[in-house]
Each structure stands twice: as C-alpha cells, then as structure tokens.
Amino acid sequence: MGNSQANVVKTGLPYRDSRVCCSYKNKIDDKVLFVNRVSFLGQNRSANLRKAQLRFCTKASVQSQPLPSDRDSGPLSSARPKSLDAVRLFVGLPLDTVSDANTVNHAKAIAAGLKALKLLGVEGVELPVWWGVAEKEAMGKYNWSGYLAVAEMVEKIGLKLHVSLCFHALKQPKIPLPDWVSQIGESQSSIFYTDQSGQQFKGCLSLAVDDLPVLDGKTPIQVYQEFCESFKSSFKPFMGTTITGISMGLGPDGELRYPSHHRLAKSSKIPGVGEFQCCDRNMLNLLQQHAEANGNPLWGLRGPHDAPSYDESPNSNSFFKDNGGSWESPYGDFFLSWYSSQLISHGNCLLSLASSTFGETGVSIYGKIPLIHSWYKTRSHPSELTAGLYNTAKRDGYAAVAEMFAKNSCKMILPGMDLSDEHQPRESFSSPESLLAQIRTACNKHGVEVSGQNSSVTGAPGGFEQMKKNLFGENVVDLFTYQRMGAYFFSPEHFPSFTKFVRNLNQLELHGDDLPVEEEVTESVHTNANTNIQVQAA
Amino acid sequence: MSTVTIRPLLPSYRRANLNFRDRTNILLKPNYINYSIKSAPNARRFCSFKKLQKITVSSSTSTSTSPATSTDTTPVRPGDVFFKETFPLKRTHAVEGKMFVRLQKGKDEKNWQLSVGCNIPGKWILHWGVSFVGDNGSEWDQPPKKMRPPGSVSIKDYAIETPLKKLAEGDVFDQVNIDFDTRSDIAAINFVLKDEETGAWYQHRGRDFKVPLVDYLQHDGNVIGTKSTFGLWPGALGQLSKMILKADTSQSGIQDSSSESCELKQENKHLEGFYEELPIVKEIIIENTVSVSVRKCPETAKTLLNLETDLTGDVVVHWGVCRDDSKNWEIPAEPYPPETIVFKNKALRTLLQPKEGGKGCSRLFTLDEEFAGFLFVLKLNENTWLKCMENDFYIPLTSSSCLPAESVQEMLIPGKAEEATQEVSQTAYTAGIIKEIRNLVSDFSSDISRKTKSKEAQKSILLEIEKLAAEAYSIFRTTAPTFFEEAAVELEESKPPAKISPGTGTGFEILCQGFNWESHKSGRWYMELKEKATELSSLGFSVIWLPPPTESVSPEGYMPRDLYNLSSRYGNIDELKDVVNKFHDVGMKILGDVVLNHRCAHYQNQNGVWNIFGGRLNWDDRAVVADDPHFQGQGNKSSGDNFHAAPNIDHSQDFVRKDIKEWLCWLRNEIGYDGWRLDFVRGFWGGYVKDYLEATEPYFAVGEYWDSLSYTYGEMDHNQDAHRQRIIDWINAASGTAGAFDVTTKGILHSALDRCEYWRLSDEKGKPPGVVGWWPSRAVTFIENHDTGSTQGHWRFPGGREMQGYAYILTHPGTPSVFYDHIFSHYRQEIEALLSVRKRNKIHCRSRVEIVKAERDVYAAIIDEKVAMKLGPGHYEPPSGSQNWSFVTEGRDYKVWEAA
C-alpha cells in the first residue's frame, strides 16, 4: 500500500474511534442491568434469624440492626423470586488506585475498566482505602479527595462499591503506614510485632497496643474509630446506595492473624511453619499477666522455646511434632489458647467498632479470615497456630472466630476460593479445600454469611473451575470479589477467561431448573440491590 | 520537557489513480458547490506553543551560561536568571491568488494548446497524464513524447511532471503550455497542481482536473472546460493539503453547463476553447520564536524581564501582570518602558525595539517584585495576534523551585481539557449502549424478535466490552512498570517453541516477500514466481508472501474492487492456484495479501458518489465508514485511521464482517492460502482482525501497522517505546492472533547504520529496541518492502547497509522477512549464508538475545548462546571462555560466529 499510505503517515490523522458520536447522557439505572447475574437458592434463612438474636456487642454500644426483610420471607418454595439469592460479583480495583498524593492513578484505564465491568454484568468493585493515604500526614488530618473521586466514578457508571479499610502497610505496591505512625514507631518500636529473634514486623500495629495510648496519647482503637467516623461522614452521600459494604482491616493484609509468615524465603516452594509473634514488650506483658493469673508465672516469660523458625518444617523442632509435640502439652495448650484468644478479642474489638460506626448506614460489615492451608494435613496445623488460629486435629479453631463474627453481625471474607488441593505441592501437606470447608461449616453453624475471594492475582491453575465449584451447589456465597483489576486482569491472556467465567455463571443461571421460563436469555433477575455486602481487605 | 515533532517518514506523493473514486457530478447536482471551502483570508492566525528549551539556572550554579539576551544595557549576571524559555511562534499566512486553465486553438485547427497557470509565487508543478480513447479505467497514461513540454519529468509510467514557469520577464503568472494534436486518440488530459514548497496538492473537487477532448467523457463529474464551472475542494488528501481554494463557481454557469453537456453529447470531437480562472489561497507557515528570560536585580529588588523575538517590523507587546494563579490582568505602576501606551486601562502596549543589525527586536521590562506572573500576547497588526495555544503567554516571576513545575502544569491544561471531553463522550457512549440495551430489554414483549434481538445485543455488548478492556489494558500496562513485556515471552519460552499457535506459526518461519512494486508489469508474475519456488525453498524460506490477488483499480493490487474476482495483473485464478500448489509442493506456506481496510466501488450513489459495490459482495453505502466526507458512507465512524483514496470499509457492520469472513475462508479453501498479510491495519480496530483470524484459523498472519517514529529536532529519539507500544497495542487488540511488521526496528536500524550510532540498538533495559524486544514472537522483522523500497522508495533502507540489516534480523528473534529484490541481487550469497546460520542454529522467533555491546561504532549480541554477531566498524570478538566460537560469515561491517 504505497503512496497513499505515505500520505496518511504524514498527516497522522487523528481519527481515533467511533465513540464520540453518541451523546446520550442518561444516568445509568442499575436496575436495567442486562447481563448476567448469578442466582441460586439461599439457604441460610434460619441462620439469619438466629443471628438476629445473637447480635450484641461487648465493647461499644452496638445496635442490633434489623435484617433485610426480604430474607425473612417464607419458605423456599413459595416465593421464588425472593428466594433467589444472587452471588454478586465484585472486582477489586488496583491496590494503588489512589496515590499517596490523593490522586487517582490510571484514572482513564479504571474508567474504561469500570464500563467494561458494568457491561459484563458485574455488580460492583472493591476499593482498598489506606490508612497511610487518607491519614498520611498527621493524626486526625484526613484527606479523602482521591477516594471520593473514585466513589463518584463508580457511582456514575452505576456500579456498587465495597470499601476495604486498610490499617496495614503494603510492600508491593509500596503503601506505608501513615508517616506520623512510622515516626512514632521509630522511637517506640514496641508498637510493632516482634518475633523470637527480635525481628520486627512494621506492616501493622501489634494487637497488644490496641488499648494503650501509644499514638500521641490515643489508643490505636480510638484512632481507628475516628478514622471510621471521618470516613462515614465524608462518604455519607454514598453510604447504603453506592457503598454497600465495608470490610474492616484486622491485621496484616487486612486479615485476622499474626504476621507469622512475613519472613518466608521466596526460594523455597514449601512454606515453612512461620513464627509466633509474641515477643514485643507489650505482648510479653500480657502473657505474663495471663500466666500469673493461671498460677504458672514461669510460663509467661517468653513464647515457646522449641518452635521452629519461619522457613522450617514442623519436624525441625519439637513444638509441632505430630506425635508428642509440645503443642499437645498443658503448656502448649496454655500458650496457644492465650495467643489465639488475644487475636479473637482484637478482631472482636475492631468488628464491633465497625458495626457500631457503620451500623445505621445500611452497609454490611465484613472481616477477612486468612486461609492458611499449608500443613493442614498434619495433626498440629503449625502454620495456622503461629498465625493465631488454634485449629488442630483435636480442636476446631474456627468456631470461636465464627462466633465472634456472628456476635458482631459481620460477614466473613474467605480468600483462596480459587485454590485446589491437586495443585498444591504434596510436601506441604496442604489442603485449601478442606480448610475452606471447615471454615464454612463453622460459619454455617453460627449463621455467618460467607463471601468469597480468589487468592492468586496471577491466576491459580484451574482457578476458574475451582471458583465455580465454590460458588455453586451446597456452597452459598452472598458475594464474590475477584482480585484484581490491573494490567494482567485486562490482558489477552486473562480477560477472555474472566469473561468466560462470568458468562459461565450466567450459563448456570440459564440452565438452572428454578428459573422462571421468561428469563430466558440475557435478562437477569434482580432481586435487591441494597441489602448487600461486599468484601475484601487488600 | 522537550518538543517531539513527528516528522513525516515519507515524501508526500500520490498516484494519479488514487482519487478517481470521488465522482461528484457537478453537472447534475449544481448544489454541490456548497462543498467548497470558504476560507477567510485573515481568519487563520494561530500560534502553537511548544517548548523548545527550558533552562533553569539556580542561583548557586552555573556561571558559564550566558543568556542570549545580550542586547540589554544592564549587564546580565547569569546566576540571577531563573527563568528562560523560548517559545515558537507559528502562524499561517494566507496568500491569495489565482490559477487559470485555458484551452485554445494553436497554430491551426489540428493543434490546440492547454495552458495552466498560477500567479502565486512559488515552485509550482503540473502533475499530469492523459486518458486515451477506449480506456475504461480511470488510470492515467503518459502522454506521447511530443506533447511533453521541455523540462518534463516522467513519473512511473502514468504521469508527467512539468514545472510552471514565467514565459516572459514580468509575467504575473507562472504557467505551462501543453500542445497537442486533436487527431490523436487522447480522450482527456488529467492534471493536478502541486506546490513543491509545501507538498500540497491542488485538485478539482477532490479529484484530478480533467479536460475532456472528446465528448463522451462529459458524464464524468470532474470535467473542466467548455462552459462547465469549477467547484473546488481542498484536495482529497484532506489535511495534507496546505492550500485552500476559495469557493466560487457561479450557479448560473452550472446550469448552463448541464444543458451544454447534453448538446455536446451529440457532437463528436468538437472542441471549444475556454478560459477559466480560479481563486486559490496558499497558506504559508511562518515560524518565529520569542524568548523570555527573567532575573532578579539584587540592587533594586526588581524583576527584570527581557523579551526578545526574531519577528521584524513593528511588534507590539500587549501585556499585563498578575498577582496569583488566577491570572487576572492588571497594570503595574509606572514607570513603563519607553514607547508604552495604556490600552483601555486593561493592558499596556509596548513597542519592541529593533535589534541592531535588524534581526528581530527586544525590550527589557522592569517589574516590581510583588507580582507573580507576566502575561502577554504579541500583536503584529490589528488582525494578527500571536498567542500561546489560544491563551496568553504566562511567565512566572517568582524564583521558587516549584516554578518550572508550575509552568509545566500550565502547559498541560489544554490537554487535560481535551481528555475530559473525551471522557465525557465515552461515558455518554457507554450510557448510550446501556440505554439501547434497556430498550431492547423492554422490547421483549414482542416475542418474535426477542431472541434474535437479544443475541445481537449481547454480541455488540461483548464487542464493546472487549474494546474497553483493550483500552484499559493498554493504559494499565504502560502505567504499571510490571508490563508483561518479557513476562509473557518468558512464559512462552518455557514451552517448547515447536507448538503451532494459530496465526503465529511454529516460531521458525522465515518469510520471503515474493514480489516488488513492478511485479505486475509482466502480466504473468505468478508463473515467473512459480519457477523460483524450488530455489526459494532450498534457500531456507518457509513462507512466501504473494501479492494481493484481487481485481484492483491500481495494477499493484492494493485498490481492490471485486473481492471474488481473482484476475489481477499478476495472473488469473488458475495461475494463482498453480503457484500456490507449487509452493506447497516444495514445503512452503503461502500468505495472501488481503486488503480489508478499503474497497473501490462499482457504482455511484444518488449523489454521484462512488460508494456502491458490485460483484458478489454487492454492499451499499452502509458498508462505508461515515467519517470520510468523500465517500458519504452510511456506516459507523471508522474504528481506525482513514485511507483517503477509496471508501473505507465499516467493519463494525455485521454483514460486512460476515462477508469478509466468508471471503477469507473461501480464499483458504479454494486457493489454498495458509495465512495472511493484512494491509493497512491502522485503518480499523484490531478486535475485528481477531474476529477474522479466529474465523479463518491461519497458520501465520502479519499486519501492516505503519506509522511514524518520534523525532526531536530532526533526530530520531533513542527511545521509541511509544512507537512500538502502538504496534503492540494493535497486536493486543487483535488478542495476539497476528504478528505485526516491526517498523520500529527498521527505523532504528536506519539511524544506527546510517549515522554510525550503534548504541541505538539497545533499549534502556538492554533489550532490542524494536517490537522484537518486547514481544518477539509477534514481531515480523524486515528491512525493506514494496513500499519502502522497490521503485517507490518511500523509506528506503540506507543504501549499501542492507546486509547489516539482514545480519541483524536473520540472527535475532522475531520472524524475519526478506525482500524479493534483495534475494535476487548481488546480496544473494550473503543472505544465503545468514539464512543457513539461522536454520542450522535453530534460531526462532523467541530466541534469547543477549546484547553484549552497544556502543557508538559497534553492536554485538549473542543469540541463544549459539550465535554471536557484530555490526559496525568497531572491534568485537566473542569471548574465548568456555565456549569455542568459530567464524562463519562476514560482510561489510558485520560478522557472525557460531558456537562450536
């Protein structure tokens, strides 16, 4: 194509695309949303009822909020449309959506991405809101402008928003704690978790300081609370309408756990057992008090002396040995009970704070539980133990956690829904599927609704299949958050399979027996939009 | 912040036959005169703002720079200058003039003369040719030798260029006279006027001028002469043309002419002389600069601002000052510089002082410290103002360190506004789609249409989703440094490369471009090529790229008309099958050159515009994109760039895509093509390409995505990431189903070899700087093709350096393509040697390249640890470590070794 092309080269005509021609400016009505939405039978009606009674709060004055009324209606068979409960699909926005200068990163890409998601029939997006961004400079000095801009974008497109309040720091992309917190940490390193060898984890505050006035005279809980209040008043126009769910950051990566695995070497494919994080001064104080109260003051001097270190396997020291390990000894039980109960009361504290703050806004509150699946097939479950989840072959550690969630009327985010046993290295004695089942059972028992998430951002092998498995059948999930928008998400390697996944969900819907005949092709049943929930800590 | 100017890669140039499609029949549709552009001669003044340089001198450093503002009387101490910038002032100056066309009797009835003249000073060229009686097509032919005035140059085989000259001293018009014999069988003389200084073409209503010499051409809408009138169009090449013709044409004349033409129909070979004048406007771009430097005067605590320009004449600075960012003009307190007047109490007007020597003028302004900025525009006369991108120039007067940033932001504002607009329109677009969906959904009450409708809706939505995702992807990938550049490649590499993925072959392909720009001439190219099949195969080629096979308005095949008619100047369909079979027999795959962007029409629509198609694919104007005014398409707007010489196909139409897919499948099955070379894929969205490739499952496919590299000050930039990114974006839009020609690599090789700048061959990450560095398995490397080289030479590889180019692409990853002309030249043996190195060492498109040297005069790389090569006169020897390297081949400034 010779000459004429030469001419075009020269002029560089700016015709780009065809979009400019349309000039509709209708606000999108989410009710017209046309594409797919997964619907299936909800099964925890009774659980919800029970939950209503269970709800109370220990710390703050928490109201018990009435449950969405449509859930209470009648037996499954009678009112079909109401009994169809949809898995609402959310997609996580990039972790660094809002930069530390409070501007929206890659705004154009996000705008295009939101439109694509909307057209695809996705319900909403999850937005990580960072402590280190919004309260970066000084205590009480909040800047929400970047996040507000995102909320507006989302609202304009007609999507829902699930906000994850993140009180932790992140390495990749680098999102630190607030500057003023880091400064305090420099002079007062005991606000951070410390392991046996004295190494500190500076990715979040130690739960031991929750109620100590270490932050310029305020306790971290107070600071978190004020953060939540400020968020609530700043986002008032969106609450309950665009913002349908908030998850409360509970620890490292937002999850309810100790940072027991933060120093794992990347080289090894088999994760080690991790380390107990109880050696900062304040933790040791608590342990000491607890030991004295139990009449064993010597047990309160330090953590277990025979636990392996981060990269090591359970058998490299005696604490986690399957037979006759110290974990089964009275000391072991003493320590592990204390260690895990500290975590649960930390979680309880934060979730009740969130429930009381956001209770009347019509949003659902979530907390995230880690899925620590390596060494699950051993008797001692060492990785879970170091993370603070006292779950062994002899003891169900998740019942107490679920109970705590139920108490606060919070829903539980479970990651790892894309992980299947067959793709785990055999030597890690791992079983994400069994662990997931165990936690879900605990939740069912306590009437805690579960919302799902995938763990691998770059796509676990067979991930989509596994997720589908986890979203149907007996598995009830009120919401699923797919992680996470970014270059890989939209790449030709990934996006088509994601689209297929979404359409597959739709396919299942279409072929479901319980669908009314008239919803044949592309419309979807929209039950309710607002009573919903989202998940996702970053 | 440096200026990036996009320099045209190619000289502007056109073939005579490119523009014949646009037949507006002036005789039948007199109202068409409305199409001509009215250009107000003085209305277009603008000044574009570009930062040519920015020097920020902080007070503690630099005592060596001496500001250019040396006309000051006050001695300037460089340390005090905190702002200095030169802004370009660009304005267009319109020169009005006339051109005339005259047909008159010469020395007798048999000899007539056509004259064309123009009274605007400049270098005018008449680009012309003739049509012979009996020629059906609209192609030109060269006139007989005796018709050509002295000084004529022939352009290919179809046109002549003759410069216009003043016939006598003192003539107002430059002109050219063409004498011809009325007894010859010339049916018409066609021409366009070309301004050699600006490269602009001057056409007649978007088409060539045509002076008919026999009557039956009269129905053709583009005639000129007898009583017909001129309707003028600024040229089919749209923005290329710098000339604007003023509208004139008289209504009455048109009516006359239609009746006239009817009369003429009955008379054969009756010539009538005529003389027509056409007003034309030539726009000349005038470039000047204005430099501003600001410094503090420590003694007086004043700010001294020196303004200097190379404009001549009376230049008035219309200025004011402001106190903050809001840029509210105010007038400072006196004293003012000499020759200053207060204008309406809003601004000051100061006449600049001519510099000594007469080159430009300048003025020094003394300002109080309290002001934050200096605002100005330049005034040349009452009608000519020079602004900065439609805004006032703004010069910050405070020297805090954030200043440069501030002024940068300043510059960004117009861009931001643009983005915002686009944003809005895109939202509106999606909203529109959603609304349409809603309508569809609510339409569901009508049972019959329901299913199909919703299916269509779903399809269009999925398409839209893909588009948006592609857009999001391209932005994310460029903003996130985690771009999958090599990650994807790495992944691919872990697989055995022998696996065939659709569209991208095995990875071991070596392409041969099996034709050049002249191949159509013999009329039996297929048969000629067939004889070379065995030879090409034995040289090591595995894929042959054949020329476009369809019937075409241009002999080379790139202006297709009836897609199912495979009779071309290269041979007929049987010969095509024959040559395909032959290549299959020798074990090679065949790529068909398919032109999907545009298609020439068979018929005119009711307005006389050629946009109705015939043949088996008898599309109407819905198949033509809506945004090229020449073809009045009724389709959607183009999803890519427009190719202006023929109707661009609207690929967003389902029926168009369905027909194209069927056609491609037919080519696959009926002819036996294995894959495609896709012409001009910049013209439409890559997602459609994906659609076509998925439907036809080619063995190999490569798209021609060709646009300009970036240059700064006429020097090619080292970093061509933006250029290769655009190509990658296209590949991505096509979901990686096709590769693309690595134009970036060719461009960089040009500079590196031609100027001895071999450092250019490594990018900032130490990888090859072209597409091949980012996505080697999709890069088809080449150094020349029928457009860039051959007899067209639009962007020819540096002469004599070709073998270095081949030493590069044939040893490096990517899929190399070798040009026919080079194979059958004196380079043959060297190419053969390199081909055998590539084959012997199993270098493939994903081979790993380690660049070991990229210096001024030498580039060296080791590929797959098996082949070492160097380019350039500098010294390099492969390391004598664990591996034993043995020399294999060499040539001028290149050398290749193999691991033993």
Side-chain angles (χ1 to χ4, degrees), chain A residues 170-193:
Chain A
L170 202 63
K171 280 198 177 128
Q172 200 44 259
K174 190 164 167 36
I175 301 173
L177 291 179
D179 297 345
W180 57 276
V181 175
S182 306
Q183 272 166 26
I184 291 171
E186 274 167 31
S187 57
Q188 226 183 313
S189 63
S190 59
I191 62 172
F192 297 121
Y193 287 112

Side-chain angles (χ1 to χ4, degrees), chain A residues 1-7 10 13 15 19 22 24 26 32 34 106 111 115 119 487 492-493 495 520, chain B residues 10 13 15 239 423 428 430 432 437-438 451 471 473 479 484 558 643-644 679 704 732 786-787 792 794:
Chain A
M1 195 84 267
N3 304 308
S4 20
Q5 186 175 351
N7 291 332
K10 175 164 186 177
L13 288 183
Y15 296 96
R19 297 174 195 180
C22 291
Y24 304 101
N26 313 43
V32 280
F34 126 105
H106 15 254
K115 273 173 229 156
L119 290 174
E493 288 72 47
F495 193 70
E520 197 173 74
Chain B
L10 310 165
Y13 187 77
R15 287 201 299 274
Q239 307 181 346
E423 199 74 19
T430 316
I437 298 161
R438 180 192 340 201
K451 250 188 171 166
E471 186 189 338
Y473 177 51
T479 49
F484 80 153
Y558 288 104
F643 172 78
H644 287 279
D679 185 58
E704 180 209 30
N732 268 319
H786 59 284
D787 284 331
Q792 298 199 86
H794 290 324

